[in-house]
Amino acid sequence: MTRILLLGGVTEALAIARTLGPQHTYSLAGVGRVPSDLQCQVRVGGYGGAEGLARYISEQQISLLLDATHPYAAQISANAVAAAALAGVPCWALRRPAWQPQAGDDWREIAGWDHLMQALRPFKRPLFTLGREPLQHLDDIPPGQFWTLRALDSCPGNERCEIIGARGPFLLEDERQLFARRDIDVLISKNSGSSATEPKLEVARERGIPVLILKRPVLPEADRHFGSVAELLLALGSPDKT
Ligand code: NAP
């Protein structure tokens, strides 16, 4: 009998989890919402690195590890490949294809926070969609800049920053209004590749404003790679029945 441990935390992972029966486990870090309507088991929290994950895989007699985590969650993907090797089970990975710029797009790849601060100098009203990391830098906002920062949960900003708590999917018309209301002149984004957050790129295109894109981390090679949920489910067959 196949026993799957599915590492998730993104929309596609939840879609896979919905197809899994009770002998399988959906694993979440605990930063987002925890679904309560799944047939499979749900486990919340870390394992204590690759060794801890390998121990869990062996103790729970997991036979297949599925890494369907976010493309910027590089640590857990590295742990997954290492743990599967230690425990002697295969690791399959769902790797979302990156967004590609279209004609007329002004996308600038950013290597890290210092590079981003430099690249932001000519702008006055950036919209950050990087998650929580910019929260650590609210005291460094240069005079003359006003940041709008979108993260999963809202929290207090300061006189140079407003923080909006919002969860995707985001609709094109809502994104248009957000950019217009706040007079956004540059967008800062990861290249998540998710259709749920893609409309902001269309709005940047419409308004002719640049997008500063945080470089994707390099993820390790898994035993098999899939570019979509459909491909992965096809390869799994009917995991409950095997
Ligand atoms: P990360 O830096 O790669 O991982 C940090 C640690 O969190 C891991 O070492 C592991 O702890 C624990 N962890 C991460 N994913 C886990 C999972 N699915 N199940 C159990 N433990 C997990 O990850 P991150 O970037 O902080 O992201 C955390 C979670 O949020 C991920 O599940 C990811 O799919 C989701 N997410 C991330 C982003 C993003 O932009 N990074 C965006 C949307 C959703 P131990 O070492 O103790 O096992």
Side-chain angles (χ1 to χ4, degrees):
M1 181 178 76
T2 306
R3 221 167 133 80
I4 294 171
L5 178 62
L6 168 64
L7 302 170
V10 295
T11 315
E12 293 92 331
L14 182 58
I16 299 165
R18 291 200 187 286
T19 70
L20 300 179
Q23 77 268 29
H24 307 293
T25 301
Y26 181 42
S27 167
L28 291 165
V31 288
R33 289 203 180 111
V34 178
S36 56
D37 58 346
L38 298 179
Q39 276 188 45
C40 66
Q41 298 164 52
V42 179
R43 183 189 179 282
V44 180
Y47 297 87
E51 291 78 13
L53 180 54
R55 218 169 17 252
Y56 181 87
I57 290 170
S58 301
E59 282 167 8
Q60 298 295 316
Q61 298 176 321
I62 300 296
S63 55
L64 175 62
L65 183 61
L66 289 184
D67 173 17
T69 57
H70 191 272
Y72 286 73
Q75 185 60 59
I76 189 68
S77 290
N79 290 356
V81 168
L86 283 170
V89 302
C91 177
W92 292 4
L94 180 66
R95 303 270 195 249
R96 271 190 203 153
W99 292 318
Q100 300 300 327
Q102 295 185 16
D105 278 341
D106 177 2
W107 288 13
R108 306 172 191 179
E109 194 171 74
I110 298 297
W113 190 262
D114 292 344
H115 184 193
L116 174 58
M117 285 300 99
Q118 271 176 16
L120 269 181
R121 276 189 197 143
F123 302 100
K124 289 193 163 55
R125 299 189 62 87
L127 169 62
F128 286 79
T129 58
L130 295 178
R132 296 185 64 80
E133 194 195 339
L135 292 174
Q136 301 161 30
H137 302 277
L138 296 191
D139 294 335
D140 309 331
I141 303 177
Q145 264 182 16
F146 185 86
W147 292 7
T148 301
L149 210 154
R150 182 162 72 191
L152 283 182
D153 301 301
S154 80
C155 57
N158 62 27
E159 70 283 359
R160 291 199 188 135
C161 179
E162 182 182 359
I163 299 162
I164 304 170
R167 290 160 195 261
F170 298 104
L171 301 177
L172 180 60
E173 196 44 46
D174 293 340
E175 296 292 62
R176 282 190 180 122
Q177 284 178 24
L178 174 73
F179 279 63
R181 232 182 3 253
R182 293 188 165 69
D183 198 19
I184 298 302
D185 60 0
V186 63
L187 169 67
I188 300 112
S189 178
K190 293 177 179 171
N191 191 333
S192 81
S194 165
S195 57
T197 52
E198 202 170 357
K200 63 189 173 186
L201 299 174
E202 196 170 332
V203 180
R205 191 172 302 129
E206 287 172 0
R207 297 175 72 87
I209 65 172
V211 185
L212 307 184
I213 300 226
L214 195 65
K215 200 169 180 247
R216 273 193 171 200
V218 177
L219 301 180
E221 287 287 313
D223 295 301
R224 288 185 70 179
H225 287 195
F226 301 89
S228 71
V229 171
E231 267 177 56
L232 191 142
L233 291 180
L234 196 65
L236 277 180
S238 305
D240 290 342
K241 299 187 189 100
T242 52

